[in-house]
Amino acid sequence: MRTDLDHLPPAKQRELERVVQILFEEFGHATAIATSEWKKQARILKVILYGSYARGGWVDEPHTAKGYQSDFDLLIIVNHVKLTDRAEFWSSAEDRINRELAITKTLRTPVNFIVHTLQEVNDGLSQGRYFFMDVARDGIALYQCDPADLPEPQPKTPDQALAMAREYFEEWLPSGSRKLELAFEALSRGYAKDSAFLLHQSTESFYHCVLLVCTFYTPHVHNLGFLRTQAERIDPRLIEVWPRETKADRARFEKLKEAYVKARYSKHYRIIEDELAWLGERVEQLGRVVEMVCTERLEALTRSAAA
């Protein structure tokens, strides 16, 4: 696996060094008081940069009209499955990274990270999951306690790939559409919080759909910002779904992100009918684009299987 970052500007290299430092410091704090043996042996095995900053071709134009900026995408590999618990071991690192991005401005590039065990990564490679295959092919190791490469991927046969992609498509696209229909029904009845939550769930389902159909992998998170970033790596048409030009556009998406928790549990969560109508239109458009991208992917897999 590559370890060089020579293709990145020095400022981006320094940012990545800072991110890795934060991850290790906060992981160390989270595992410092250990009574169980597995926790005493807690280790980060690898930190891998993947996505546009690993391949090249990232976008860094937050101040342009479109306001799009690629994120640093990181895969953290740990030595025990319990260490993948985001709330227990990684929430403080996520909070600190966001604080340095939004408040102290120490970081200027958004950061997304996922956490898996080495066994989970190896299983993904042995099962021919495109996401893990892409990481193994294009990833850059920012840290590794063992320089051994990841195992060779075992790609699925064309028939296997088509069958799996079709199964994901037939499950997740209708799921997103049903939740969107229920969100509009809730809106028509004046149930604003219920509508917001269902719009969140519809959006999540659509993103899971395109990620699973195109990569055979989706992270187990409810963070729509993270899911959006992962999906937009697949096809730029997904970027156009969410306007980013104005503060109001960005604020409405933030309300949608917050709806997973706050629309259900917070008495202070407020969202008005106009915001819900706008979000509903965007989620409806997301569903159309996801269907288009997935259909094209299935057609390509069908041609491959036929050949």
Side-chain angles (χ1 to χ4, degrees), residues 50-53 55 68-74 109-113 131 203 207 210-211 219 221 223-236 238-239 242 244 253 257:
Y50 68 93
S52 60
Y53 277 100
R55 296 190 310 269
Y68 185 75
Q69 184 180 26
S70 299
D71 296 7
F72 288 139
D73 293 311
L74 302 177
T109 306
V111 180
N112 286 315
F113 63 86
F131 170 79
T203 305
Y207 280 136
V210 72
L211 287 164
V221 298
N223 184 333
L224 293 187
F226 186 23
L227 291 172
R228 180 174 75 170
T229 297
Q230 301 304 300
E232 287 174 352
R233 293 171 51 235
I234 293 171
D235 194 298
L238 291 164
I239 298 172
W242 296 103
R244 295 165 168 86
F253 183 77
K257 280 175 58 180

Side-chain angles (χ1 to χ4, degrees), residues 145-162:
C145 66
D146 181 351
D149 284 337
L150 297 173
E152 283 295 315
Q154 303 296 319
K156 293 184 179 298
T157 67
D159 284 337
Q160 290 171 333
L162 174 60

Side-chain angles (χ1 to χ4, degrees), residues 39 84 118 150 165 169 180 190 225 250 270 273 276 286:
K39 204 170 185 180
T84 64
L118 184 59
L150 297 173
F169 181 71
L180 179 60
R250 297 189 295 272
R270 295 288 185 273
E273 183 176 340
L276 287 166
L286 174 65

Side-chain angles (χ1 to χ4, degrees), residues 81-118:
V81 67
K82 290 184 179 179
L83 298 173
T84 64
D85 187 317
R86 202 169 185 94
E88 183 173 358
F89 295 102
W90 302 101
S91 60
S92 60
E94 190 168 29
D95 289 344
R96 188 170 162 193
I97 287 169
N98 289 336
R99 188 165 61 249
E100 296 205 9
L101 181 67
I103 300 173
T104 67
K105 307 295 184 182
T106 311
L107 298 173
R108 297 190 176 278
T109 306
V111 180
N112 286 315
F113 63 86
I114 55 175
V115 187
H116 284 289
T117 63
L118 184 59

Side-chain angles (χ1 to χ4, degrees), residues 155-287:
K156 293 184 179 298
T157 67
D159 284 337
Q160 290 171 333
L162 174 60
M164 178 173 279
R166 185 176 288 149
E167 182 178 337
Y168 284 138
F169 181 71
E170 291 174 354
E171 175 184 359
W172 286 98
L173 190 75
S175 175
S177 298
R178 286 194 301 271
K179 290 162 186 167
L180 179 60
E181 183 179 340
L182 291 171
F184 282 131
E185 176 65 20
L187 176 59
S188 72
R189 292 170 176 262
Y191 304 150
K193 287 187 176 182
D194 294 315
S195 180
F197 174 71
L198 287 162
L199 285 173
H200 179 286
Q201 292 294 278
S202 176
T203 305
E204 186 177 323
S205 293
F206 286 141
Y207 280 136
H208 286 319
C209 180
V210 72
L211 287 164
L212 286 165
V213 170
C214 295
T215 73
F216 297 153
Y217 170 82
T218 190
H220 300 299
V221 298
H222 303 289
N223 184 333
L224 293 187
F226 186 23
L227 291 172
R228 180 174 75 170
T229 297
Q230 301 304 300
E232 287 174 352
R233 293 171 51 235
I234 293 171
D235 194 298
R237 286 173 292 183
L238 291 164
I239 298 172
E240 303 301 322
V241 170
W242 296 103
R244 295 165 168 86
E245 291 86 347
T246 69
K247 185 177 180 180
D249 292 336
R250 297 189 295 272
R252 285 188 286 256
F253 183 77
E254 286 301 313
K255 282 197 175 184
L256 181 64
K257 280 175 58 180
E258 294 173 348
Y260 181 72
V261 173
K262 292 185 178 181
R264 292 183 294 167
Y265 304 119
S266 174
K267 65 181 181 180
H268 302 295
Y269 183 81
R270 295 288 185 273
I271 190 164
I272 62 175
E273 183 176 340
D274 286 350
E275 292 172 320
L276 287 166
W278 185 90
L279 288 169
E281 290 174 0
R282 302 327 304 157
V283 178
E284 196 168 28
Q285 176 63 9
L286 174 65

Side-chain angles (χ1 to χ4, degrees), residues 36-77:
S36 55
E37 193 59 34
W38 68 267
K39 204 170 185 180
K40 291 178 182 178
Q41 302 299 319
R43 296 288 183 276
I44 295 176
L45 303 180
K46 292 180 187 286
V47 179
I48 300 173
L49 175 70
Y50 68 93
S52 60
Y53 277 100
R55 296 190 310 269
W58 66 90
V59 177
D60 191 12
E61 301 174 346
H63 305 300
T64 62
K66 289 186 179 297
Y68 185 75
Q69 184 180 26
S70 299
D71 296 7
F72 288 139
D73 293 311
L74 302 177
L75 168 63
I76 303 169
I77 302 179

